[in-house]
Amino acid sequence: MQKVPQTTLNFNVFPIHYSLEFEPDFSSWQFRGKVVIQIDIRKPTKLIKLHTKELQIKDAQLVQNGTFGAQIHVDEPKQELQLTFPKVLRGKAVLTILFQGTHNEGMYGFYRSRYMLNGKEESLLTTQFESASARACFPCFDEPFFKATFDVSLTVPQPFTTISNMPIKKEITIAGGKKQVVFQVSPKMSTYLLYLAVGNFKYVETMYRNIKIRVYTVPDKIKYATLSLHYTKTFLQFFEQYFQIRYPLPKLDMLAIPDFASGAMENWGAITFREIALLGDEHTSVVYKQNIAITVAHELAHQWFGNLVTMQWWDDLWLNESFATFMSYKAVHDAFPEWELPLQYFEDTICNALGADQLISTHPITVKVNTPGEIDEIFDSISYDKGGSVLHMLESFVSEKIFREGLHQYLQRHAYSNATKFDLWQAIQGAYKKTTITAMMHRWITQPGYPIVMVSKSKLGFLLQQQRFTLKQKTFPTMWHIPLNYVTADGIAKTALMTQKTLTLKEQKGWIKLNSGQHGFYRVKYETKVLQQLGEGIREKRIAPVDATGIENDLFSLTIQGKYTVDDYLKFVENYCVDAQYPLNSSVSAHLSSLFRITYRKKAFREVRRVSVLFHGNLLKQVGWERKPKERNTTAMLRSMSIYMLGMAGHEATLRKASTLFKQLRTKNTIDQNIKGAIYTLAAWQGDEKTFEYFLERYKNEELPEEQRKLLRSLAMFQNAGLQQRALEVSQSKTVRLQDSMMIPMALSANPMCTLIWPWTKSNWVGLMKKYSTGTHMLPHFVHNLAGVDTPEAYKEIQHFFSLAQHKRDDIKMAVTQTLEKLDVLMHFLEKNKVK
């Protein structure tokens, strides 16, 4: 018997089937709706509760051996519709509710998205329901556990295309130039996966088996749809073969939406994307092309993990997002092995998760949530990247074959139903049959943070000691079962399982490299002599590049923590990493960039700049300014990174070359797409008001999403405070779409010459709270932007500001706590390293 999940509704009334009718009005931007819900009432009651948000409830009736009208009450703070009937009800019944709503422009519920076509403004209607916004479209049981089937009809003007989860069943012409479009009945699914769209769409299509695959866009961007159509077919085939379960719907639509808060959304059979995450062509830069592929694969993985099998409650959101993150890289690597995705997974996912989870204020992978705002908070690096990292570690421990068998059992056992983490562990345990998986994984999922393993030489070999790693050096009595892979100085690979605070590895020769392959989710601190030996192994290329990256990545975090000084880190880079291979060169570059921002205009900057110029100068010499035929994607990324870092450091030759290319770009538009972003940034860094106007005008007239993003970021990279203020004003104007309005403040927070972010955020906070509603996941970004503030006075101001009730909201609680902790860490770092 399934455990009852946490629920905000009384766990008594269950939906079986929804029949939905909608009629949008394209002049008033209102919609009328009717929902007929077949329900099962388990225990006698007069009261039925559903969810509703921003809807006008016109009428509610129930049929069960007669028809009964309801007394209607809406509890707005709880987003709850309470229907009280004149008699006690039990058993099967049919509930009918008439309602009216507004097509908002806040990118949630059944909302309106605007775009330009042939110089004229057009609009389309689309939906975004995850996590708790289906209730803003129709009254419903808006929780993942309440699965039901759906049939939908839309009454719309004749010319418009209509899209839902299922294919169209029939169209009926009605008076007034309208049509009623009726869709086939959906599989059993959660409300947050329902989808509706109405608009002037164009599409390209292909077939896979008997499944019709389409990519939809607004009319003038259809030329950018073919790339993702190819990806969709390729990855759909991969997932069917990997999971050994066929995609169960008769069609699969991929929609590029002009206004979209998230990156993408896995609505079953009708997946929605930001345009930048779906649209591209053969000229798209490798970074954006890879992002399109990974995002498409991520959402397709959800068609099994999330849609076919759904978490019971949002505390197990990671069951959806971690698996989609983990599986997306597998699918893309299978199709494009030359992209080196396993190495990028370590850098993009595992290292990102280690960085996010080293705060005391982090949260466990599985976390208690209650309100919609608290649910929004956990769509973060822990639910996506840490969960994906822990799954990667588990797969490495049990073997890919066993892991895959366990997933197959899990999906088959819980298809069209709900599951918890315990169901997953049980399935993998059934395939593994050795170490108790639940005992090992329970700690990784329910405990915040991760361990650091300290390695020291002893008479018996190497003594390992584990404790939780935090940047503030606070100790906790927590412990993990750590799967250990390690390699000895003579190149022998070995394994162990660390289940206690200490463990001795009886190796006597030279050094050991712990976490070989970087499959484990933990850091390592070596005693000084061993670290020097490992550094020599890196320089002499006797240590694999991914292992070298693990050593450097851990060293950098230990430097921020205070165990090493900035000088210690810079000497390690200069002595051992200047001639590094990927991904070590990328990791060092990112960390030098962080130190560049932290120390800019301070005493320590001189040495940081010197090592950065040395490192990036050597790197640019290796990769060159010109792209070569069939070069690796990572080479193209490193070229852009090197140009950017050298230019920002004031390297004259790089700045001259960048200026020449910018002039060439303005006249011929012929430079490599992969370095355009770096060239734009350096042009802005050296630019004046005339350059600002050029970028702004280009942005206003640009249609390609990738180019729009680069131009928007360039507006934030001027040194002049007046132009920085103008950029902030542009970000909140009608020039910039709501979905992109956080890009300039975010980029400015990384501009080392900008001191405006905190004053601007403070003075605009009330407006920002109104503009970015719960459900868009956007408001927390404006809090995280403050993590680079570097004065004790500003830190105290921020702390006081967010302690006031009028500045609080559920979806920013964690962001505020984490930002204050990051600021505290930064203050101690600056003090320890005498960075003034």
Side-chain angles (χ1 to χ4, degrees):
M1 182 176 179
Q2 284 184 310
K3 181 182 177 183
V4 175
Q6 182 170 357
T7 174
T8 57
L9 297 176
N10 53 350
F11 204 76
N12 183 37
V13 182
F14 289 77
I16 300 168
H17 177 76
Y18 292 84
S19 291
L20 286 158
E21 299 175 15
F22 295 97
E23 184 171 1
D25 185 327
F26 281 78
S27 56
S28 68
W29 301 107
Q30 303 283 310
F31 62 91
R32 293 193 300 274
K34 175 182 177 181
V35 58
V36 180
I37 315 175
Q38 297 174 29
I39 58 175
D40 182 12
I41 306 168
R42 303 288 174 86
K43 297 177 182 179
T45 185
K46 287 186 177 183
L47 177 65
I48 295 177
K49 294 181 180 180
L50 300 87
H51 290 110
T52 186
K53 177 183 177 182
E54 300 171 4
L55 297 175
Q56 299 175 42
I57 307 301
K58 300 295 188 180
D59 185 59
Q61 296 187 349
L62 182 138
V63 176
Q64 186 190 64
N65 301 321
T67 302
F68 305 96
Q71 180 183 337
I72 299 169
H73 174 71
V74 175
D75 186 329
E76 292 185 2
K78 288 186 176 180
Q79 300 182 1
E80 199 169 88
L81 171 60
Q82 299 169 359
L83 303 177
T84 304
F85 293 92
K87 63 169 285 187
V88 172
L89 306 165
R90 184 175 185 177
K92 302 289 175 61
V94 177
L95 181 63
T96 301
I97 305 172
L98 303 179
F99 56 93
Q100 184 173 319
T102 300
H103 296 297
N104 69 75
E105 295 187 55
M107 300 184 291
Y108 65 91
F110 196 4
Y111 71 90
R112 177 187 181 189
S113 175
R114 304 177 191 234
Y115 62 96
M116 299 301 293
L117 181 63
N118 300 322
K120 180 183 175 184
E121 185 179 85
E122 303 281 349
S123 293
L124 60 85
L125 301 176
T126 183
T127 58
Q128 171 60 28
F129 291 162
E130 190 182 35
S131 54
S133 290
R135 64 191 69 179
C137 180
F138 62 102
C140 56
F141 300 85
D142 198 15
E143 296 174 15
F145 186 75
F146 292 117
K147 285 194 168 187
T149 53
F150 295 79
D151 67 65
V152 176
S153 76
L154 287 160
T155 299
V156 299
Q158 278 284 354
F160 283 133
T161 299
T162 57
I163 302 165
S164 188
N165 306 78
M166 297 296 288
I168 293 172
K169 181 179 180 181
K170 61 181 178 180
E171 291 189 10
I172 304 167
T173 301
I174 57 179
K178 292 187 175 183
K179 61 183 177 181
Q180 183 185 28
V181 182
V182 181
F183 295 90
Q184 295 176 19
V185 177
S186 77
K188 194 176 178 183
M189 64 184 188
S190 304
T191 49
Y192 78 90
L193 295 170
L194 185 67
Y195 183 70
L196 312 167
V198 183
N200 179 16
F201 291 99
K202 299 294 182 185
Y203 65 83
V204 293
E205 69 177 356
T206 188
M207 294 291 293
Y208 168 64
R209 290 196 293 101
N210 61 336
I211 301 165
K212 186 174 289 184
I213 303 173
R214 289 179 174 176
V215 176
Y216 285 89
T217 76
V218 296
D220 62 342
K221 294 183 179 175
I222 194 64
K223 57 181 174 285
Y224 302 119
T226 305
L227 181 71
S228 56
L229 183 71
H230 168 66
Y231 289 161
T232 302
K233 182 176 181 178
T234 301
F235 303 149
L236 186 64
Q237 183 176 6
F238 170 84
F239 285 127
E240 282 199 343
Q241 292 172 350
Y242 185 91
F243 294 131
Q244 292 296 296
I245 296 174
R246 285 192 165 194
Y247 173 78
L249 274 62
K251 61 95 172 174
L252 176 59
D253 296 330
M254 316 287 273
L255 297 94
I257 304 299
D259 297 290
F260 196 76
S262 303
M265 175 59 207
E266 66 266 21
N267 316 296
W268 214 352
I271 305 172
T272 45
F273 298 77
R274 277 195 181 206
E275 290 180 332
I276 198 170
L278 190 68
L279 304 182
D281 58 20
E282 66 275 11
H283 302 297
T284 299
S285 68
V286 297
V287 171
Y288 285 90
K289 191 177 291 185
Q290 283 189 178
N291 185 61
I292 291 169
I294 291 167
T295 307
V296 167
H298 181 106
E299 303 309 321
L300 289 178
H302 273 311
Q303 306 304 293
W304 286 265
F305 273 92
N307 298 9
L308 182 66
V309 179
T310 311
M311 74 266 149
Q312 284 195 3
W313 181 246
W314 296 104
D315 58 350
D316 275 331
L317 170 69
W318 75 277
L319 281 175
N320 288 9
E321 300 302 347
S322 298
F323 267 100
T325 299
F326 176 66
M327 291 304 305
S328 63
Y329 279 77
K330 277 187 176 293
V332 179
H333 178 59
D334 182 77
F336 304 104
E338 69 277 10
W339 289 3
E340 301 178 287
L341 263 292
L343 291 179
Q344 292 193 49
Y345 186 81
F346 171 65
E347 188 179 16
D348 298 344
T349 301
I350 298 175
C351 289
N352 187 52
L354 289 166
D357 206 31
Q358 60 194 3
L359 299 173
I360 295 170
S361 54
T362 187
H363 64 84
I365 293 176
T366 181
V367 57
K368 182 179 180 181
V369 289
N370 296 298
T371 68
E374 289 176 354
I375 295 168
D376 284 347
E377 278 199 301
I378 63 170
F379 283 82
D380 63 3
S381 294
I382 303 303
S383 295
Y384 285 72
D385 295 339
K386 181 182 178 181
S389 302
V390 169
L391 292 173
H392 176 80
M393 178 173 65
L394 177 60
E395 181 194 53
S396 174
F397 180 72
V398 301
S399 82
E400 186 174 358
K401 179 177 181 293
I402 295 297
F403 186 79
R404 186 173 173 181
E405 287 176 8
L407 297 192
H408 178 66
Q409 291 178 24
Y410 169 82
L411 289 170
Q412 279 201 320
R413 194 174 296 158
H414 302 285
Y416 303 102
S417 187
N418 300 82
T420 72
K421 53 189 165 291
F422 302 108
D423 298 314
L424 176 64
W425 306 148
Q426 186 179 13
I428 295 176
Q429 183 69 67
Y432 187 53
K433 299 182 177 67
K434 296 180 185 178
T435 304
T436 304
I437 296 300
T438 300
M440 182 174 82
M441 297 308 296
H442 181 74
R443 294 170 185 260
W444 289 101
I445 299 298
T446 61
Q447 292 183 165
Y450 57 84
I452 183 167
V453 179
M454 290 159 288
V455 181
S456 58
K457 199 76 184 286
S458 71
K459 292 180 180 180
L460 298 176
F462 288 90
L463 174 64
L464 312 185
Q465 301 175 76
Q466 66 158 299
Q467 66 181 43
R468 180 177 167 187
F469 179 78
T470 64
L471 289 179
K472 293 186 75 171
Q473 301 190 45
K474 184 175 180 180
T475 58
F476 294 86
T478 48
M479 189 181 70
W480 289 262
H481 290 185
I482 309 174
L484 300 176
N485 296 319
Y486 66 98
V487 62
T488 62
D490 50 9
I492 299 174
K494 298 187 178 183
T495 63
L497 182 62
M498 187 175 187
T499 60
Q500 302 296 325
K501 285 284 186 181
T502 62
L503 175 68
T504 297
L505 301 178
K506 296 179 180 179
E507 307 291 342
Q508 298 296 332
K509 294 182 181 178
W511 48 262
I512 62 166
K513 164 53 178 79
L514 213 58
N515 201 9
S516 60
Q518 296 302 131
H519 301 298
F521 192 70
Y522 59 95
R523 295 202 185 279
V524 184
K525 181 182 184 298
Y526 299 93
E527 63 180 24
T528 302
K529 184 178 179 180
V530 176
L531 182 62
Q532 289 174 346
Q533 291 173 323
L534 291 170
E536 290 164 3
I538 292 171
R539 184 178 56 208
E540 295 164 8
K541 296 186 170 51
R542 290 183 285 112
I543 293 177
V546 70
D547 285 330
T549 310
I551 295 166
E552 181 272 338
N553 192 281
D554 293 343
L555 178 63
F556 181 77
S557 279
L558 287 162
T559 301
I560 299 299
Q561 187 196 46
K563 294 293 185 184
Y564 296 97
T565 66
V566 171
D567 284 342
D568 292 333
Y569 174 77
L570 293 175
K571 286 175 183 175
F572 187 89
V573 169
E574 187 171 7
N575 289 338
Y576 306 125
C577 305
V578 171
D579 194 31
Q581 297 172 278
Y582 184 83
L584 176 57
N585 43 24
S586 180
S587 182
V588 170
S589 179
H591 293 145
L592 289 174
S593 178
S594 294
L595 290 176
F596 185 95
R597 290 194 301 271
I598 293 170
T599 63
Y600 195 75
R601 296 190 295 188
K602 297 180 176 69
K603 184 178 179 181
F605 177 70
R606 184 175 179 179
E607 187 64 9
V608 171
R609 180 189 179 279
R610 184 189 69 79
V611 175
S612 182
V613 170
L614 172 68
F615 179 85
H616 290 101
N618 185 68
L619 183 54
L620 185 57
K621 185 178 179 181
Q622 289 177 13
V623 300
W625 279 83
E626 301 292 333
R627 191 176 184 189
K628 302 171 185 64
K630 298 183 180 180
E631 75 176 10
R632 295 175 174 179
N633 285 6
T634 51
T635 301
M637 297 177 200
L638 290 165
R639 177 179 299 113
S640 177
M641 195 181 303
S642 301
I643 292 169
Y644 165 77
M645 285 301 297
L646 286 167
M648 292 294 288
H651 188 254
E652 291 185 5
T654 302
L655 289 173
R656 283 196 303 270
K657 177 77 169 178
S659 295
T660 300
L661 288 173
F662 184 61
K663 290 174 185 175
Q664 177 183 320
L665 179 65
R666 294 182 69 167
T667 55
K668 299 180 182 178
N669 197 30
T670 55
I671 73 168
D672 178 10
Q673 185 73 16
N674 293 285
I675 64 170
K676 264 190 181 180
I679 300 304
Y680 287 167
T681 296
L682 297 183
W685 188 245
Q686 302 174 87
D688 54 15
E689 188 173 357
K690 187 176 179 180
T691 313
F692 186 96
E693 294 295 345
Y694 166 78
F695 282 129
L696 183 58
E697 197 59 30
R698 279 278 314 277
Y699 174 75
K700 290 177 180 177
N701 295 299
E702 182 58 54
E703 67 168 22
L704 186 64
E706 175 187 357
E707 191 72 2
Q708 287 178 332
R709 178 70 60 86
K710 291 174 180 175
L711 290 164
L712 198 60
R713 283 178 170 165
S714 71
L715 291 172
M717 290 309 297
F718 288 82
Q719 296 189 52
N720 179 273
L723 295 177
Q724 293 170 7
Q725 183 64 41
R726 276 199 63 194
L728 287 167
E729 291 166 2
V730 168
S731 76
Q732 300 302 303
S733 71
K734 292 184 179 179
T735 300
V736 178
R737 290 185 180 277
L738 180 62
Q739 67 170 10
D740 298 322
S741 57
M742 65 184 184
M743 297 305 303
I744 285 176
M746 193 182 301
L748 268 169
S749 71
N751 181 332
M753 283 293 289
C754 183
T755 58
L756 299 177
I757 287 298
W758 166 231
W760 177 84
T761 303
K762 178 171 57 176
S763 62
N764 287 275
W765 186 250
V766 173
L768 294 172
M769 290 180 75
K770 291 179 181 177
K771 187 171 185 176
Y772 302 101
S773 67
T774 297
T776 63
H777 314 303
M778 295 176 76
L779 189 63
H781 290 285
F782 292 90
V783 180
H784 287 300
N785 289 344
L786 306 176
V789 171
D790 60 0
T791 67
E793 295 77 18
Y795 170 74
K796 289 176 183 177
E797 284 183 22
I798 293 168
Q799 189 176 42
H800 173 70
F801 183 84
F802 286 109
S803 71
L804 301 177
Q806 64 267 33
H807 299 148
K808 295 180 178 181
R809 208 168 74 182
D810 279 354
D811 58 334
I812 65 160
K813 289 188 298 186
M814 196 178 299
V816 169
T817 305
Q818 291 178 350
T819 297
L820 289 172
E821 184 179 347
K822 288 177 184 176
L823 288 171
D824 195 25
V825 168
L826 178 59
M827 299 301 144
H828 284 89
F829 172 82
L830 295 175
E831 183 179 351
K832 176 180 175 61
N833 287 279
K834 304 290 190 290
V835 180
K836 297 179 181 178

